[in-house]
């Protein structure tokens, strides 16, 4: 029987490599004569370096050089040269640029030595004196200075124009909820720290192994900053040990490692320590003020969502945070505003569905409060105000099976048995709460190229420069390619993470599968046509005068659909054409018409059970059902892992993760995995993932909408809502820690 792969639960093709250690990460590549760098970080948050004395460091045997702003080699002068493909407006941070300190933890020197421990020891001997200036890291203190970003960040939709009159409608409505909501700043904390190994190939050429979600983003950054040509710089990053957005932009260790390599004409590796992982981008906090009002019959009358989010002094980071409040529900009077305020920190970075879980925490918490006040079931409230179109932009959705997600999720969870009364369920010392929330995230496709090479032995290689950031990209590209040419997966090799491969943007925004998947399919179809034309050239071809749409590529052969006994093998077709390989490169572009006329989003319905120890205030998330509508599912196994990971991050956001700042020092204090709490196995119990059937042929030609991020989107809000149901306590500030549960 003929076997196809797309839609089937296939194990990861790179799984064995990963668990056996054969997968090579940025800091594991090596080179002859490899030198090691160690970074010295600033101890103050703002001011100037008065003196930096490297004499003692240089005197340590084995130290090769110490780089500071005083001896930094010349690099590009214009700030725009440092802008990478996802940079927000502004001038990116430039390491060792001058004596100015703009945030605590800023790299101020790079010690390069024969080995890592020598470099680390020597770094401790670098003596720095500062002229500190007053810094501000407290968002509350700069609230009054908030501004509407003058320049929009490319790819980020600004909040839609207000519709109706939310204030008048709010005043007139009988049932209302108003509140201030806050999340914590969070750091991505991938298992693999950021690292760059630069191999000096001689003759001014370098091969760079960088922790990056898009090899060509690092390549372009290096060529712009160091004035090199593309041919001199190859970036190879086949495996990424988690990134969650921290690897979208080239980070300062890349700059430092390349700078040192070019200057020393010798291979150099720079690895960040875990605490240095807290010295660049993070998820911004925000001051969110949210209000919603309804009629007695639960029809929404007014929504208002205002946000002030922190950014750095040098860039205007932006994300879509309040937009969800303008499109998730039907409501005639809606106002959303988005402002920034500058702090003496690094620029925030995209992190795990940037903006969505933040904004949805306010929206979905407030709707839960509203349903309680109205005495209506939270799911019913959402169904009653279901948005049939994106009312923010006035566009229909490409697809939206959220109703089915509510229904299937509720059924699986047993939601019908819920007693709406808070504190109504208990087992021993534990209060039990059931809460739910809606999740929503963008479904994007990005212009991407791919190539396919079929050889006479029936092997197929496909490649595109995107990354596999742990999402299963290698696997789904292999499935798509195998099906396109009717091959077993073992005969297909997928290549990603190499700047030499055809053009791809960074893997982010959950667009990888829709974009790279479509590109690979197009390239395979081009190969298929060429192969078919060769097959037709066979004397008395079994395919006769068939057209390409009248044959099937299956079981490593080309067969007539009407009579599968008439077929040609790949080798026979190539022989007839006098070739031993067929190659094609294609570019997949999103439809401009779809983008102009439609809104494309993924949705989810998240149902959560928490158990709260009433005396200790301890919260456990004992059960999660996440019903996801994300278009066609290429591989239910890797897809399920994506959603489970997202849900775990939602648990982290709701209960654990918090980057704490000491405002006196202007510095993140819990910069390690002991004090920055991430959910561990003991925090994660039952997670049940449902994929709702959803047909969408507008977002991408292959029907895919992407699901790397939708798993986190509504989860934190659902947990907060479950906590309310368990305890009767509404917590509006994340993470929900024991002190907040026990507070009177
Ligand atoms: Mo994602 S935060 O675009 O890696």
């Amino acid at each position: 029987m003929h076997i196809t792969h797309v839609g089937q639960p296939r194990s990861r093709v790179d799984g064995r490599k990963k668990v056996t250690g054969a997968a090579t990460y940025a800091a594991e590549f090596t080179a002859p004569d490899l030198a090691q760098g160690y970074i010295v970080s600033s101890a103050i948050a703002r001011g100037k370096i008065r003196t930096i004395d490297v004499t003692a460091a240089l005197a340590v045997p084995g130290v090769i050089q110490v780089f500071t702003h005083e001896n930094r080699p010349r690099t590009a002068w214009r700030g725009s040269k440092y802008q990478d493909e996802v940079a927000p407006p502004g001038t990116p941070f430039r390491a060792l640029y001058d004596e100015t300190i703009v945030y605590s933890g800023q790299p101020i020197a790079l010690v390069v030595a024969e080995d890592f421990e020598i470099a680390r020891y020597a770094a401790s001997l670098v003596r720095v004196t500062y002229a500190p200036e007053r810094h501000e890291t407290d968002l509350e203190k700069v609230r009054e200075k908030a501004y509407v970003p003058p320049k929009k960040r490319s790819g980020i939709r600004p909040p839609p124009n207000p519709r109706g009159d939310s204030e008048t409608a709010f005043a007139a409505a009988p049932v209302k909820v108003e509140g201030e909501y806050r999340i914590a700043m969070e750091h991505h904390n991938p298992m693999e720290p950021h690292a760059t190994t630069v191999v000096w190939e001689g003759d001014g050429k370098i091969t760079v192994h960088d922790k990056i979600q898009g090899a060509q983003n690092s390549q372009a950054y290096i060529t712009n900053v160091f004035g090199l040509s593309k041919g001199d710089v190859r970036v190879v990053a086949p495996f990424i040990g988690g990134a969650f957005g921290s690897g979208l932009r080239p980070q300062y260790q890349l700059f430092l490692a390349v700078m040192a390599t070019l200057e020393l004409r010798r291979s150099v590796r720079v690895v960040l320590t875990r605490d240095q992982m807290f010295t660049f981008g993070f998820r911004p906090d925000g001051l969110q003020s949210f209000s919603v009002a309804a009629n007695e019959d639960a029809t929404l009358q007014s929504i208002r969502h205002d946000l002030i989010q922190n950014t750095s002094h040098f860039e205007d980071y932006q994300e879509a945070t309040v937009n969800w409040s303008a499109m998730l529900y039907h409501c005639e009077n809606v106002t959303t505003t988005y402002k920034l305020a500058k702090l003496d920190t690094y620029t925030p970075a995209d992190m795990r569905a940037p903006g969505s879980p933040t904004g949805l925490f306010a929206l979905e918490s407030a709707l839960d409060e509203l349903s309680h006040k109205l005495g209506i079931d939270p799911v019913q409230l959402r169904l009653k105000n279901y948005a049939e179109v994106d009312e923010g932009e006035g566009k229909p959705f490409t697809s939206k099976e959220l109703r089915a997600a509510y229904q299937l999720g509720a059924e699986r969870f047993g939601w019908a048995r819920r007693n709406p009364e808070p504190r109504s369920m208990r087992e021993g010392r534990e209060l039990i709460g059931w809460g739910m929330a809606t999740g929503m995230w963008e479904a994007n496709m990005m212009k991407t190229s791919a190539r396919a090479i079929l050889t006479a032995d029936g092997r197929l290689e496909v490649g595109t420069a995107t990354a596999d950031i742990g999402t299963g990209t290698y696997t789904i590209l292999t499935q798509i390619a195998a099906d396109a040419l009717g091959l077993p997966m073992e005969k297909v090799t997928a290549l990603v993470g190499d700047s030499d491969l055809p053009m791809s943007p960074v893997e982010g925004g959950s667009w990888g599968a829709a974009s790279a998947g479509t590109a690979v399919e197009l390239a395979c179809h081009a190969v298929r046509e060429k192969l078919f034309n060769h097959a037709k050239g066979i004397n008395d071809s079994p395919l006769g005068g068939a057209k390409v749409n009248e044959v099937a590529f299956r079981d490593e052969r080309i067969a007539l659909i009407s009579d599968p006994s008439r077929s040609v093998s790949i080798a026979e077709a190539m022989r007839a054409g006098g070739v031993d390989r067929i190659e094609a490169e294609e570019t997949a572009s999103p439809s401009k018409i779809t983008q102009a006329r439609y809104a494309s989003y993924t949705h989810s319905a998240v149902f959560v059970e928490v158990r709260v120890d009433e005396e200790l205030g301890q919260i456990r998330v004992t059960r999660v059902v996440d019903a996801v509508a994300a278009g066609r599912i290429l591989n239910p196994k890797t897809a399920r892992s994506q959603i489970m990971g997202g849900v775990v991050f939602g648990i982290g956001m709701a209960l654990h993760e918090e980057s704490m700042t000491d405002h006196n020092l202007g510095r993140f204090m819990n910069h390690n995995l002991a004090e920055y709490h991430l959910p561990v196995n003991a925090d994660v119990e039952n997670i049940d993932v449902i994929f709702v059937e959803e047909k969408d042929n507008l977002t991408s030609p292959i029907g895919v909408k992407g699901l790397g991020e939708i798993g986190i989107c509504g989860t934190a809000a659902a947990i907060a809502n479950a906590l309310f149901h368990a305890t009767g306590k509404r917590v509006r500030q994340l993470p929900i820690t024991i002190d907040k549960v026990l507070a009177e």
Side-chain angles (χ1 to χ4, degrees), residues 174-186:
V175 187
K176 319 171 192 210
V177 171
E178 264 183 289
E180 300 288 324
Y181 298 82
R182 251 184 119 161
I183 63 157
M185 292 201 214
E186 297 176 294

mmCIF file with all atom_site columns, all heavy atoms in Angstrom, residues 174-186:
data_model
loop_
_atom_site.group_PDB
_atom_site.id
_atom_site.type_symbol
_atom_site.label_atom_id
_atom_site.label_alt_id
_atom_site.label_comp_id
_atom_site.label_asym_id
_atom_site.label_entity_id
_atom_site.label_seq_id
_atom_site.pdbx_PDB_ins_code
_atom_site.Cartn_x
_atom_site.Cartn_y
_atom_site.Cartn_z
_atom_site.occupancy
_atom_site.B_iso_or_equiv
_atom_site.pdbx_formal_charge
_atom_site.auth_seq_id
_atom_site.auth_comp_id
_atom_site.auth_asym_id
_atom_site.auth_atom_id
_atom_site.pdbx_PDB_model_num
ATOM 1   N N   . PRO A 1 174 ? -24.713 48.622 32.082 1.00 0.00 ? 174 PRO A N   1
ATOM 2   C CA  . PRO A 1 174 ? -25.043 48.254 33.460 1.00 0.00 ? 174 PRO A CA  1
ATOM 3   C C   . PRO A 1 174 ? -24.002 47.377 34.166 1.00 0.00 ? 174 PRO A C   1
ATOM 4   O O   . PRO A 1 174 ? -23.897 47.423 35.378 1.00 0.00 ? 174 PRO A O   1
ATOM 5   C CB  . PRO A 1 174 ? -26.368 47.492 33.310 1.00 0.00 ? 174 PRO A CB  1
ATOM 6   C CG  . PRO A 1 174 ? -26.350 46.950 31.924 1.00 0.00 ? 174 PRO A CG  1
ATOM 7   C CD  . PRO A 1 174 ? -25.585 47.932 31.100 1.00 0.00 ? 174 PRO A CD  1
ATOM 8   N N   . VAL A 1 175 ? -23.248 46.573 33.415 1.00 0.00 ? 175 VAL A N   1
ATOM 9   C CA  . VAL A 1 175 ? -22.312 45.639 34.067 1.00 0.00 ? 175 VAL A CA  1
ATOM 10  C C   . VAL A 1 175 ? -20.891 45.916 33.562 1.00 0.00 ? 175 VAL A C   1
ATOM 11  O O   . VAL A 1 175 ? -20.656 45.914 32.358 1.00 0.00 ? 175 VAL A O   1
ATOM 12  C CB  . VAL A 1 175 ? -22.699 44.164 33.771 1.00 0.00 ? 175 VAL A CB  1
ATOM 13  C CG1 . VAL A 1 175 ? -21.843 43.213 34.591 1.00 0.00 ? 175 VAL A CG1 1
ATOM 14  C CG2 . VAL A 1 175 ? -24.182 43.941 34.059 1.00 0.00 ? 175 VAL A CG2 1
ATOM 15  N N   . LYS A 1 176 ? -19.978 46.193 34.506 1.00 0.00 ? 176 LYS A N   1
ATOM 16  C CA  . LYS A 1 176 ? -18.643 46.633 34.082 1.00 0.00 ? 176 LYS A CA  1
ATOM 17  C C   . LYS A 1 176 ? -17.536 45.988 34.891 1.00 0.00 ? 176 LYS A C   1
ATOM 18  O O   . LYS A 1 176 ? -17.715 45.645 36.051 1.00 0.00 ? 176 LYS A O   1
ATOM 19  C CB  . LYS A 1 176 ? -18.473 48.144 34.281 1.00 0.00 ? 176 LYS A CB  1
ATOM 20  C CG  . LYS A 1 176 ? -19.653 48.939 33.924 1.00 0.00 ? 176 LYS A CG  1
ATOM 21  C CD  . LYS A 1 176 ? -19.504 50.384 34.353 1.00 0.00 ? 176 LYS A CD  1
ATOM 22  C CE  . LYS A 1 176 ? -20.873 51.013 34.202 1.00 0.00 ? 176 LYS A CE  1
ATOM 23  N NZ  . LYS A 1 176 ? -20.863 52.416 33.905 1.00 0.00 ? 176 LYS A NZ  1
ATOM 24  N N   . VAL A 1 177 ? -16.382 45.912 34.248 1.00 0.00 ? 177 VAL A N   1
ATOM 25  C CA  . VAL A 1 177 ? -15.155 45.489 34.928 1.00 0.00 ? 177 VAL A CA  1
ATOM 26  C C   . VAL A 1 177 ? -14.050 46.441 34.503 1.00 0.00 ? 177 VAL A C   1
ATOM 27  O O   . VAL A 1 177 ? -13.932 46.774 33.327 1.00 0.00 ? 177 VAL A O   1
ATOM 28  C CB  . VAL A 1 177 ? -14.773 44.036 34.531 1.00 0.00 ? 177 VAL A CB  1
ATOM 29  C CG1 . VAL A 1 177 ? -13.392 43.685 35.050 1.00 0.00 ? 177 VAL A CG1 1
ATOM 30  C CG2 . VAL A 1 177 ? -15.810 43.046 35.039 1.00 0.00 ? 177 VAL A CG2 1
ATOM 31  N N   . GLU A 1 178 ? -13.263 46.871 35.476 1.00 0.00 ? 178 GLU A N   1
ATOM 32  C CA  . GLU A 1 178 ? -12.128 47.748 35.189 1.00 0.00 ? 178 GLU A CA  1
ATOM 33  C C   . GLU A 1 178 ? -10.953 47.247 35.990 1.00 0.00 ? 178 GLU A C   1
ATOM 34  O O   . GLU A 1 178 ? -11.132 46.869 37.144 1.00 0.00 ? 178 GLU A O   1
ATOM 35  C CB  . GLU A 1 178 ? -12.425 49.163 35.693 1.00 0.00 ? 178 GLU A CB  1
ATOM 36  C CG  . GLU A 1 178 ? -12.961 50.111 34.674 1.00 0.00 ? 178 GLU A CG  1
ATOM 37  C CD  . GLU A 1 178 ? -13.146 51.488 35.299 1.00 0.00 ? 178 GLU A CD  1
ATOM 38  O OE1 . GLU A 1 178 ? -14.072 51.640 36.124 1.00 0.00 ? 178 GLU A OE1 1
ATOM 39  O OE2 . GLU A 1 178 ? -12.363 52.380 34.952 1.00 0.00 ? 178 GLU A OE2 1
ATOM 40  N N   . GLY A 1 179 ? -9.774  47.286 35.423 1.00 0.00 ? 179 GLY A N   1
ATOM 41  C CA  . GLY A 1 179 ? -8.632  46.847 36.222 1.00 0.00 ? 179 GLY A CA  1
ATOM 42  C C   . GLY A 1 179 ? -7.301  47.211 35.599 1.00 0.00 ? 179 GLY A C   1
ATOM 43  O O   . GLY A 1 179 ? -7.217  47.559 34.419 1.00 0.00 ? 179 GLY A O   1
ATOM 44  N N   . GLU A 1 180 ? -6.268  47.145 36.443 1.00 0.00 ? 180 GLU A N   1
ATOM 45  C CA  . GLU A 1 180 ? -4.886  47.313 35.985 1.00 0.00 ? 180 GLU A CA  1
ATOM 46  C C   . GLU A 1 180 ? -4.267  45.924 35.984 1.00 0.00 ? 180 GLU A C   1
ATOM 47  O O   . GLU A 1 180 ? -4.359  45.201 36.975 1.00 0.00 ? 180 GLU A O   1
ATOM 48  C CB  . GLU A 1 180 ? -4.108  48.205 36.952 1.00 0.00 ? 180 GLU A CB  1
ATOM 49  C CG  . GLU A 1 180 ? -4.680  49.597 37.125 1.00 0.00 ? 180 GLU A CG  1
ATOM 50  C CD  . GLU A 1 180 ? -4.453  50.472 35.889 1.00 0.00 ? 180 GLU A CD  1
ATOM 51  O OE1 . GLU A 1 180 ? -3.380  50.325 35.258 1.00 0.00 ? 180 GLU A OE1 1
ATOM 52  O OE2 . GLU A 1 180 ? -5.347  51.267 35.554 1.00 0.00 ? 180 GLU A OE2 1
ATOM 53  N N   . TYR A 1 181 ? -3.648  45.570 34.875 1.00 0.00 ? 181 TYR A N   1
ATOM 54  C CA  . TYR A 1 181 ? -3.055  44.242 34.761 1.00 0.00 ? 181 TYR A CA  1
ATOM 55  C C   . TYR A 1 181 ? -1.578  44.388 34.463 1.00 0.00 ? 181 TYR A C   1
ATOM 56  O O   . TYR A 1 181 ? -1.161  45.296 33.748 1.00 0.00 ? 181 TYR A O   1
ATOM 57  C CB  . TYR A 1 181 ? -3.741  43.446 33.644 1.00 0.00 ? 181 TYR A CB  1
ATOM 58  C CG  . TYR A 1 181 ? -5.207  43.220 33.918 1.00 0.00 ? 181 TYR A CG  1
ATOM 59  C CD1 . TYR A 1 181 ? -6.142  44.210 33.624 1.00 0.00 ? 181 TYR A CD1 1
ATOM 60  C CD2 . TYR A 1 181 ? -5.649  42.041 34.504 1.00 0.00 ? 181 TYR A CD2 1
ATOM 61  C CE1 . TYR A 1 181 ? -7.487  44.026 33.895 1.00 0.00 ? 181 TYR A CE1 1
ATOM 62  C CE2 . TYR A 1 181 ? -6.995  41.846 34.774 1.00 0.00 ? 181 TYR A CE2 1
ATOM 63  C CZ  . TYR A 1 181 ? -7.914  42.845 34.466 1.00 0.00 ? 181 TYR A CZ  1
ATOM 64  O OH  . TYR A 1 181 ? -9.239  42.650 34.743 1.00 0.00 ? 181 TYR A OH  1
ATOM 65  N N   . ARG A 1 182 ? -0.807  43.477 35.026 1.00 0.00 ? 182 ARG A N   1
ATOM 66  C CA  . ARG A 1 182 ? 0.631   43.541 34.783 1.00 0.00 ? 182 ARG A CA  1
ATOM 67  C C   . ARG A 1 182 ? 1.202   42.144 34.665 1.00 0.00 ? 182 ARG A C   1
ATOM 68  O O   . ARG A 1 182 ? 0.747   41.231 35.353 1.00 0.00 ? 182 ARG A O   1
ATOM 69  C CB  . ARG A 1 182 ? 1.322   44.256 35.938 1.00 0.00 ? 182 ARG A CB  1
ATOM 70  C CG  . ARG A 1 182 ? 1.805   45.617 35.526 1.00 0.00 ? 182 ARG A CG  1
ATOM 71  C CD  . ARG A 1 182 ? 2.551   46.277 36.614 1.00 0.00 ? 182 ARG A CD  1
ATOM 72  N NE  . ARG A 1 182 ? 3.908   46.534 36.154 1.00 0.00 ? 182 ARG A NE  1
ATOM 73  C CZ  . ARG A 1 182 ? 4.711   47.420 36.718 1.00 0.00 ? 182 ARG A CZ  1
ATOM 74  N NH1 . ARG A 1 182 ? 4.319   48.098 37.775 1.00 0.00 ? 182 ARG A NH1 1
ATOM 75  N NH2 . ARG A 1 182 ? 5.924   47.624 36.245 1.00 0.00 ? 182 ARG A NH2 1
ATOM 76  N N   . ILE A 1 183 ? 2.177   42.020 33.818 1.00 0.00 ? 183 ILE A N   1
ATOM 77  C CA  . ILE A 1 183 ? 2.925   40.761 33.775 1.00 0.00 ? 183 ILE A CA  1
ATOM 78  C C   . ILE A 1 183 ? 4.314   41.075 34.322 1.00 0.00 ? 183 ILE A C   1
ATOM 79  O O   . ILE A 1 183 ? 4.590   42.217 34.682 1.00 0.00 ? 183 ILE A O   1
ATOM 80  C CB  . ILE A 1 183 ? 3.014   40.195 32.352 1.00 0.00 ? 183 ILE A CB  1
ATOM 81  C CG1 . ILE A 1 183 ? 3.780   41.159 31.433 1.00 0.00 ? 183 ILE A CG1 1
ATOM 82  C CG2 . ILE A 1 183 ? 1.614   39.927 31.775 1.00 0.00 ? 183 ILE A CG2 1
ATOM 83  C CD1 . ILE A 1 183 ? 4.393   40.506 30.235 1.00 0.00 ? 183 ILE A CD1 1
ATOM 84  N N   . ALA A 1 184 ? 5.179   40.084 34.375 1.00 0.00 ? 184 ALA A N   1
ATOM 85  C CA  . ALA A 1 184 ? 6.565   40.344 34.786 1.00 0.00 ? 184 ALA A CA  1
ATOM 86  C C   . ALA A 1 184 ? 7.441   40.417 33.549 1.00 0.00 ? 184 ALA A C   1
ATOM 87  O O   . ALA A 1 184 ? 7.094   39.864 32.509 1.00 0.00 ? 184 ALA A O   1
ATOM 88  C CB  . ALA A 1 184 ? 7.046   39.224 35.693 1.00 0.00 ? 184 ALA A CB  1
ATOM 89  N N   . MET A 1 185 ? 8.575   41.103 33.666 1.00 0.00 ? 185 MET A N   1
ATOM 90  C CA  . MET A 1 185 ? 9.569   40.950 32.620 1.00 0.00 ? 185 MET A CA  1
ATOM 91  C C   . MET A 1 185 ? 10.067  39.511 32.706 1.00 0.00 ? 185 MET A C   1
ATOM 92  O O   . MET A 1 185 ? 10.160  38.943 33.788 1.00 0.00 ? 185 MET A O   1
ATOM 93  C CB  . MET A 1 185 ? 10.737  41.900 32.850 1.00 0.00 ? 185 MET A CB  1
ATOM 94  C CG  . MET A 1 185 ? 10.355  43.354 32.657 1.00 0.00 ? 185 MET A CG  1
ATOM 95  S SD  . MET A 1 185 ? 11.826  44.324 32.334 1.00 0.00 ? 185 MET A SD  1
ATOM 96  C CE  . MET A 1 185 ? 11.367  45.848 33.150 1.00 0.00 ? 185 MET A CE  1
ATOM 97  N N   . GLU A 1 186 ? 10.372  38.956 31.555 1.00 0.00 ? 186 GLU A N   1
ATOM 98  C CA  . GLU A 1 186 ? 10.829  37.569 31.532 1.00 0.00 ? 186 GLU A CA  1
ATOM 99  C C   . GLU A 1 186 ? 12.007  37.447 30.579 1.00 0.00 ? 186 GLU A C   1
ATOM 100 O O   . GLU A 1 186 ? 12.064  38.169 29.583 1.00 0.00 ? 186 GLU A O   1
ATOM 101 C CB  . GLU A 1 186 ? 9.724   36.654 30.993 1.00 0.00 ? 186 GLU A CB  1
ATOM 102 C CG  . GLU A 1 186 ? 8.455   36.594 31.818 1.00 0.00 ? 186 GLU A CG  1
ATOM 103 C CD  . GLU A 1 186 ? 7.418   35.735 31.116 1.00 0.00 ? 186 GLU A CD  1
ATOM 104 O OE1 . GLU A 1 186 ? 6.945   36.127 30.036 1.00 0.00 ? 186 GLU A OE1 1
ATOM 105 O OE2 . GLU A 1 186 ? 7.115   34.659 31.635 1.00 0.00 ? 186 GLU A OE2 1
#
